[in-house]
Amino acid sequence: MNTTQHLVRGVGLGLRRTFLNSIVDTPPASVDFYEIAPENWITIGGRFGRQLRNMTERFDFVCHGLSLSIGSTDPLDETFIKAVKSFMAEHGIKLYSEHLSYCSKDGHLYDLMPIPFTEEAITHTAARIRRVQDILEQKIAIENVSYYAAPGREMDEIDFFNAVVNEADCDILLDLNNIYVNSVNHGYDAETFLKAIPAQRIAYAHIAGHYVEAEDFLVDTHGTPVIDPVWKLLGKAYELYGIFPTLLERDFNIPPLPELIKETETIAAIQQAWKKQHERRTA
């Protein structure tokens, strides 16, 4: 089975219809690839469908799923997975990622719920990931998620996450903001978590903003600019593992496009700085 690691490069941006017209007409130089939720695009035709085709013909794309519910006890929606496979083939989309969570129980819950950190859940979830990979005929990337409670906990988050991706033999979508949010909410060291990630599995990364409810309670909203500690954590990840593709997420409170582009340029600048530092070390 083919690995998905680094099938895209450089800096990415989550594509939103609110700025699609501007992106189609004047693609920003700082963005190398784009990410879309397949659920929002598979059935879209008309002007938006034509614009998407215009973009996928010119740029690399990845799919980031919202509704696969990989940790659920509901049956896998294999009809949906096959539709994703066809959609990816139609548009030449490089890879598919999903959240290590669930969002259904006898129907959709419309939120990403935490999977219990248990041995039983490892076996169950890894088997479902392997089935998805068999249908798609390629590895998928699984994202470490933010969570606010840990029901049925038998182990730490990092041990659960690593066990799932190892048993499933899948790749990783590394979310730096989720590491930071969880480190504050659950009282662990973000760099220690980062150092335990199996770097060879990182396909690409997410970086985003969050809402500060209280000093010790952050909410992963993707609705604000990225803050300095999260930028620093991204730099630390590059220091540890080298540069990997990194995508800016912004899901609501979407600002004017130039503000988003400024953040993608920050990603590019951090990547360039670490590239130069690596070149100096190896010269």
Side-chain angles (χ1 to χ4, degrees):
M1 184 178 295
N2 293 330
T3 181
T4 61
Q5 188 170 348
H6 298 183
L7 290 179
V8 292
R9 62 178 182 82
V11 177
L13 177 64
L15 187 65
R16 304 292 179 260
R17 293 181 201 169
T18 53
F19 55 75
L20 180 56
N21 285 337
S22 298
I23 291 285
V24 169
D25 293 339
T26 312
S30 61
V31 178
D32 302 297
F33 70 99
Y34 294 89
E35 179 188 82
I36 53 175
E39 294 89 340
N40 295 336
W41 290 93
I42 285 176
T43 60
I44 295 297
R47 178 169 62 90
F48 285 134
R50 291 191 297 272
Q51 288 178 320
L52 178 63
R53 167 65 71 186
N54 182 303
M55 291 294 293
T56 58
E57 287 177 346
R58 292 185 290 162
F59 298 96
D60 288 340
F61 269 71
V62 295
C63 276
H64 184 47
L66 302 173
S67 62
L68 186 58
S69 200
I70 199 65
S72 177
T73 55
D74 290 350
L76 269 175
D77 188 345
E78 296 194 2
T79 300
F80 167 69
I81 299 166
K82 291 173 184 176
V84 169
K85 182 178 182 179
S86 296
F87 178 72
M88 291 175 66
E90 178 186 356
H91 288 278
I93 292 172
K94 300 293 185 178
L95 64 96
Y96 176 62
S97 64
E98 249 291 357
H99 306 82
L100 186 58
S101 62
Y102 72 98
C103 59
S104 65
K105 176 58 180 172
D106 301 322
H108 278 281
L109 304 172
Y110 299 101
D111 206 349
L112 298 176
M113 306 299 291
I115 302 171
F117 301 157
T118 66
E119 292 288 349
E120 181 180 15
I122 291 168
T123 301
H124 172 75
T125 304
R128 286 164 68 92
I129 294 171
R130 290 195 302 272
R131 176 58 182 158
V132 174
Q133 294 183 144
D134 287 344
I135 295 172
L136 294 180
E137 298 181 274
Q138 67 179 72
K139 288 189 178 184
I140 68 172
I142 291 296
E143 179 183 12
N144 57 297
V145 297
S146 56
Y147 63 99
Y148 307 98
R153 179 175 185 154
E154 294 176 358
M155 64 191 75
D156 290 339
E157 175 194 352
I158 187 61
D159 296 327
F160 175 75
F161 180 78
N162 285 349
V164 170
V165 299
N166 181 65
E167 187 165 329
D169 191 22
C170 64
D171 284 332
I172 291 172
L173 166 50
L174 182 66
D175 193 304
L176 280 305
N177 182 64
N178 288 350
I179 294 175
Y180 180 77
V181 165
N182 290 346
S183 73
V184 172
N185 292 346
H186 302 290
Y188 65 70
D189 181 72
E191 287 194 14
T192 299
F193 185 100
L194 183 61
K195 289 175 181 177
I197 290 289
Q200 73 279 6
R201 294 188 181 273
I202 299 173
Y204 71 113
H206 277 171
I207 193 165
H210 56 262
Y211 176 71
V212 180
E213 180 72 28
E215 184 176 334
D216 59 351
F217 182 41
L218 309 180
V219 182
D220 177 35
T221 60
H222 302 172
T224 61
V226 180
I227 66 169
D228 190 56
V230 179
W231 288 125
K232 289 180 178 177
L233 193 61
L234 177 63
K236 185 64 178 180
Y238 292 158
E239 177 187 346
L240 290 169
Y241 304 131
I243 297 167
F244 42 76
T246 303
L247 181 135
L248 176 70
E249 283 191 295
R250 188 66 176 262
D251 291 339
F252 80 103
N253 288 337
I254 297 177
L257 185 58
E259 294 184 30
L260 292 178
I261 299 309
K262 185 177 180 180
E263 288 194 286
T264 65
E265 289 170 347
T266 299
I267 298 172
I270 296 172
Q271 289 182 341
Q272 188 62 27
W274 283 106
K275 180 180 178 181
K276 289 180 179 178
Q277 184 163 329
H278 174 73
E279 289 172 349
R280 287 196 298 268
R281 288 174 176 173
T282 57

